[in-house]
Amino acid sequence: MYLKNRPLAFVDLETTGLYAGHHEIIEICIIVGVRCYHVKVEPKHIERITEEAQRINGYTGRKWLGAINQRTVANEAANLLEGCLIVGHNPGFDYEFLEALFEQEHVPVGLDRRTIDTITLAHEHLVPWGLDSLSLDSIRAFLGWTVRPTHNALDDCKDTKRLYETLTRPHRKYWALFRAKSLRFWGLIK
C-alpha cells in the first residue's frame, strides 16, 4: 500500500517507565480521522512505576479508578491502528510499548515500523528560527500555544496532531512566507 493512501494515526502514551516489556502503558490516546480513542489503562505491575514517570504523568490509584484492562485496550488499539501510519512526538517510544502490549496480550496486528516523527519536523522547520529544545512543551511555548502543567496522553496527542498539521504540506506556503519575512527582517535576504 502506498504511504499517501494510508490513514494517519496520531499516538501518545503515558507509561510507568522507559522500558517496554518491563514498564506498562497507563494512558493511551489515538486519533485517526475524526475518531479519538483516549483511555486510562489498568496497570498489572504498578509497583514497577518509576518516581520520574509518576511525577510526569501524575499517576495515582484514585485517578485511575475505572481504568480499562490491558486486553481490551490492546484489541481496541489494534483495530484503530491496522493499516495506519503512526505519527507521534518520538513515535519509536510509543511503537515499542504498543508492540509489547500486543505481544503480551496475544493480539495480532500488522504495525508498520515506518512512522512520522514530529520531532524531526520541528527540527527542520523551527530550530532554524530559534527553537532551542525539541520537547513538546518547548514547542508549545515557541508557537504560543498553551503549555500544560502535566503530561497527559489526550492533550499531547492533540498537540502532536496540531504540530504535524502546522508543519506539513497544507501550511508550507505559510512557512515559506514566514521564513522569507524573517530572513528579510534579519537582513539576510533583500
Side-chain angles (χ1 to χ4, degrees), residues 56-103:
I56 288 173
N57 58 45
Y59 174 86
T60 65
R62 186 175 185 174
K63 286 183 184 177
W64 261 254
L65 282 176
I68 308 300
N69 70 64
Q70 291 186 21
R71 176 77 178 178
T72 300
V73 171
N75 282 311
E76 291 173 351
N79 287 334
L80 273 170
L81 293 172
E82 189 72 42
C84 291
L85 186 63
I86 293 175
V87 181
H89 204 71
N90 187 18
F93 177 84
D94 300 315
Y95 184 96
E96 286 182 16
F97 272 88
L98 287 168
E99 195 172 52
L101 174 67
F102 296 141
E103 185 177 310

Side-chain angles (χ1 to χ4, degrees), residues 11 21 25 42 52 100 138 140 169 173:
V11 176
I25 297 169
E42 181 182 2
E52 180 71 4
S138 294
R140 286 174 174 131
R169 286 183 188 12
K173 289 181 185 175

Side-chain angles (χ1 to χ4, degrees), residues 13-185:
L13 310 174
E14 296 300 327
T15 65
T16 60
L18 299 176
Y19 303 105
H22 178 72
H23 294 116
E24 302 170 286
I25 297 169
I26 56 172
E27 185 180 12
I28 184 170
C29 184
I30 302 171
I31 300 172
V32 179
V34 297
R35 175 111 193 259
C36 179
Y37 175 74
H38 171 243
V39 296
K40 292 190 184 299
V41 184
E42 181 182 2
K44 292 181 181 178
H45 301 285
I46 197 56
E47 71 279 0
R48 295 180 185 170
I49 193 168
T50 66
E51 287 181 23
E52 180 71 4
Q54 191 168 5
R55 184 189 63 75
I56 288 173
N57 58 45
Y59 174 86
T60 65
R62 186 175 185 174
K63 286 183 184 177
W64 261 254
L65 282 176
I68 308 300
N69 70 64
Q70 291 186 21
R71 176 77 178 178
T72 300
V73 171
N75 282 311
E76 291 173 351
N79 287 334
L80 273 170
L81 293 172
E82 189 72 42
C84 291
L85 186 63
I86 293 175
V87 181
H89 204 71
N90 187 18
F93 177 84
D94 300 315
Y95 184 96
E96 286 182 16
F97 272 88
L98 287 168
E99 195 172 52
L101 174 67
F102 296 141
E103 185 177 310
Q104 290 166 2
E105 296 302 325
H106 307 289
V107 173
V109 62
L111 285 184
D112 190 332
R113 214 147 237 324
R114 293 173 290 185
T115 60
I116 297 173
D117 190 348
T118 55
I119 290 175
T120 302
L121 293 173
H123 187 272
E124 177 184 345
H125 294 284
L126 302 178
V127 168
W129 309 112
L131 179 68
D132 59 1
S133 168
L134 294 168
S135 73
L136 197 51
D137 283 342
S138 294
I139 292 168
R140 286 174 174 131
F142 183 80
L143 294 173
W145 299 352
T146 301
V147 178
R148 294 166 180 88
T150 60
H151 287 244
N152 73 67
L154 180 61
D155 290 337
D156 289 354
C157 194
K158 285 180 177 180
D159 281 350
T160 297
K161 182 177 188 287
R162 182 179 181 192
L163 179 60
Y164 173 83
E165 291 170 347
T166 299
L167 298 178
T168 56
R169 286 183 188 12
H171 301 283
R172 289 215 186 259
K173 289 181 185 175
Y174 165 78
W175 284 109
L177 179 63
F178 175 76
R179 287 178 180 162
K181 284 182 178 182
S182 295
L183 290 171
R184 282 189 191 95
F185 175 79

